[in-house]
Amino acid sequence: MISLEQKVISFLGKNKEMSFKDEDFSYEAIFLCNVKPDPTNARYLPTVMISDEDAALFVNRKISKRTLAKMYDAEGLVLVGHNCFINCLPHGSPDWKKANETIHSIVDLANNLAMSEIIQVPTVYPIQDGQFQILTGHRRYFALLYTYGINSVSQFKVYQCEPILLKTKQFQENASREELPQYGKLVSFNAALLELQTLSDARLRLGLKKLTVRDTVSILGISMGSFDNYKVLTRYPCVLSAYENGIALPFMKAKKIVLTIEEQYKEKHDKSVLNVTDKHHINEEIDCVLNGKTQKVSPPRSAFKFKKINSVNTIKTLFEANIFQLDIGIDWQELDWGKAADVNDALAQVIDYLESHNRDTP
């Protein structure tokens, strides 16, 4: 299988520059049964499409969920048809709950479609045997399927061929859409950024200039401010996990939380550059704030204690003498300095030894 880097190098070797906004496309009417969802997309719903006839039987209660699941081998998937979604994932599981949330949002979208046309049609590209792969618009596609059935025809934006930078094109298509799920936006940004890094590396290998931040922002089709927001929010994995698990915090508020915790950590530890360990600790702190958890507090370390000293000469000796060389009977090499109790016992022996000797001193 040809890697993305090989595809990019091959293309750049012939064209020197890669166009991102002028790919050939047209608007075509396509049967919904010829359109396939993309399993790698963040908004993918694990589905099996059922015939309009079977959907009608289910809606009219003439066939059971169990029977349909067996007919379509749909255990662990979601059956989709005209006027029905049938969630066959394990009941009550996290995946079942996520699928239900997605289903509810698609049904809401379908109800809107029944009242008006789609403003921005789904985009697809040809794969083989007259089939098309969804590039963007999974929820819109399922809403069409739910509203009109698998044998219906709908309008699609069709690219002439699969875009080389697939994830970048997906991000471009969806960048201006405010209603998209926040988690999907963050995942899409990360995927696009990885592709553009591959493009930048390929350019260097061919003796061309690498992409600048300004180039990247221009290709993605967003403002520099939006780019910075995405960069901050994808810096720590706990932020993506929080959005995946359903938090609905505006991006600007989440960004403020991340930057505040980072700044507080840097001030507390007097650091200007963060290493991997620092970022791990910051990730834990952000996770606690976003999810309302109580952060684990490390147990206080036992204090080192000096027993009561009666002689001023003992204090002088402690400051002046190398106590490691005194014949006290302590094996300093074997002492476990990590155990406060052992160190305190050794200190007590030293003080006892010095006090006894200082009493003998005239």
Side-chain angles (χ1 to χ4, degrees):
M1 185 175 179
I2 301 175
S3 69
L4 175 61
E5 186 177 26
Q6 289 171 321
K7 289 180 182 178
V8 171
I9 289 175
S10 174
F11 184 91
L12 289 177
K14 299 172 184 176
N15 301 274
K16 296 302 176 188
E17 289 297 334
M18 183 174 286
S19 172
F20 295 94
K21 298 178 182 177
D22 302 321
E23 286 94 342
D24 291 333
F25 65 85
S26 59
Y27 289 92
E28 300 178 21
I30 301 175
F31 280 101
L32 296 185
C33 59
N34 291 330
V35 177
K36 308 298 179 187
D38 175 12
T40 68
N41 192 283
R43 286 172 284 278
Y44 173 72
L45 185 68
T47 54
V48 175
M49 286 60 152
I50 64 177
S51 69
D52 293 344
E53 294 76 19
D54 288 336
L57 289 174
F58 180 79
V59 170
N60 293 306
R61 300 187 177 183
K62 293 182 179 180
I63 193 170
S64 68
K65 170 182 174 179
R66 183 185 295 273
T67 301
L68 279 177
K70 185 173 286 188
M71 282 174 57
Y72 285 90
D73 193 21
E75 289 298 332
L77 302 169
V78 176
L79 290 166
V80 187
H82 189 202
N83 290 323
C84 65
F85 276 98
I86 308 169
N87 191 345
C88 300
L89 289 154
H91 189 274
S93 67
D95 287 338
W96 180 86
K97 292 177 182 177
K98 287 179 186 177
N100 265 2
E101 290 173 2
T102 303
I103 289 168
H104 289 315
S105 71
I106 293 172
V107 171
D108 287 341
L109 179 58
N111 292 334
N112 291 332
L113 287 181
M115 305 293 291
S116 60
E117 293 183 357
I118 294 181
I119 297 175
Q120 190 174 354
V121 298
T123 60
V124 298
Y125 58 88
I127 40 181
Q128 73 278 325
D129 302 327
Q131 303 289 300
F132 297 85
Q133 181 89 65
I134 295 178
L135 180 65
T136 60
H138 282 78
R139 291 171 65 255
R140 284 168 282 166
Y141 168 73
F142 286 126
L144 289 167
L145 186 58
Y146 177 86
T147 304
Y148 303 114
I150 192 70
N151 292 324
S152 64
V153 175
S154 188
Q155 194 83 351
F156 288 86
K157 179 179 178 180
V158 184
Y159 282 98
Q160 193 175 67
C161 58
E162 178 183 351
I164 295 177
L165 298 184
L166 192 66
K167 301 302 179 183
T168 302
K169 178 54 67 179
Q170 285 177 340
F171 185 86
Q172 288 175 336
E173 288 276 355
N174 289 322
S176 62
R177 301 185 60 227
E178 295 295 330
E179 81 283 5
L180 289 179
Q182 293 164 304
Y183 173 67
K185 286 186 174 183
L186 296 177
V187 172
S188 181
F189 174 80
N190 263 348
L193 215 56
L194 283 173
E195 282 191 340
L196 292 179
Q197 184 58 55
T198 300
L199 170 61
S200 188
D201 293 342
R203 288 176 60 87
L204 282 175
R205 289 185 61 177
L206 292 172
L208 304 172
K209 291 182 179 179
K210 70 175 184 178
L211 295 179
T212 64
V213 172
R214 191 170 296 280
D215 292 332
T216 300
V217 170
S218 175
I219 292 168
L220 291 175
I222 56 177
S223 67
M224 193 68 80
S226 293
F227 180 78
D228 184 62
N229 292 343
Y230 278 114
K231 285 289 286 182
V232 171
L233 293 173
T234 54
R235 194 176 292 166
Y236 298 97
C238 69
V239 178
L240 274 79
S241 296
Y243 279 107
E244 183 182 16
N245 293 328
I247 70 161
L249 200 64
F251 278 171
M252 288 305 296
K253 286 189 176 180
K255 178 184 178 183
K256 185 176 180 180
I257 289 171
V258 172
L259 293 178
T260 299
I261 291 175
E262 271 189 342
E263 191 58 36
Q264 289 173 346
Y265 185 92
K266 287 178 179 178
E267 289 180 4
K268 181 179 178 181
H269 298 278
D270 191 23
K271 288 196 169 188
S272 57
V273 179
L274 300 172
N275 59 33
V276 174
T277 302
D278 295 327
K279 290 179 181 178
H280 174 74
H281 291 311
I282 292 172
N283 185 74
E284 289 182 341
E285 291 186 37
I286 296 170
D287 184 45
C288 290
V289 173
L290 292 179
N291 295 292
K293 301 176 185 176
T294 302
Q295 192 171 11
K296 292 181 180 179
V297 179
S298 301
R301 297 186 66 177
S302 300
F304 296 108
K305 300 176 182 178
F306 282 84
K307 66 180 297 184
K308 184 178 179 181
I309 298 175
N310 297 310
S311 171
V312 69
N313 288 325
T314 297
I315 296 174
K316 287 181 179 180
T317 306
L318 280 172
F319 283 121
E320 295 174 352
N322 184 350
I323 62 173
F324 291 160
Q325 295 180 351
L326 298 177
D327 187 16
I328 300 173
I330 299 173
D331 189 342
W332 296 104
Q333 296 295 326
E334 294 297 322
L335 179 64
D336 188 347
W337 293 93
K339 289 185 178 179
D342 290 359
V343 176
N344 286 336
D345 285 343
L347 284 171
Q349 290 182 54
V350 170
I351 291 170
D352 285 342
Y353 175 85
L354 295 178
E355 291 278 76
S356 65
H357 281 67
N358 284 323
R359 279 200 299 270
D360 299 331
T361 303

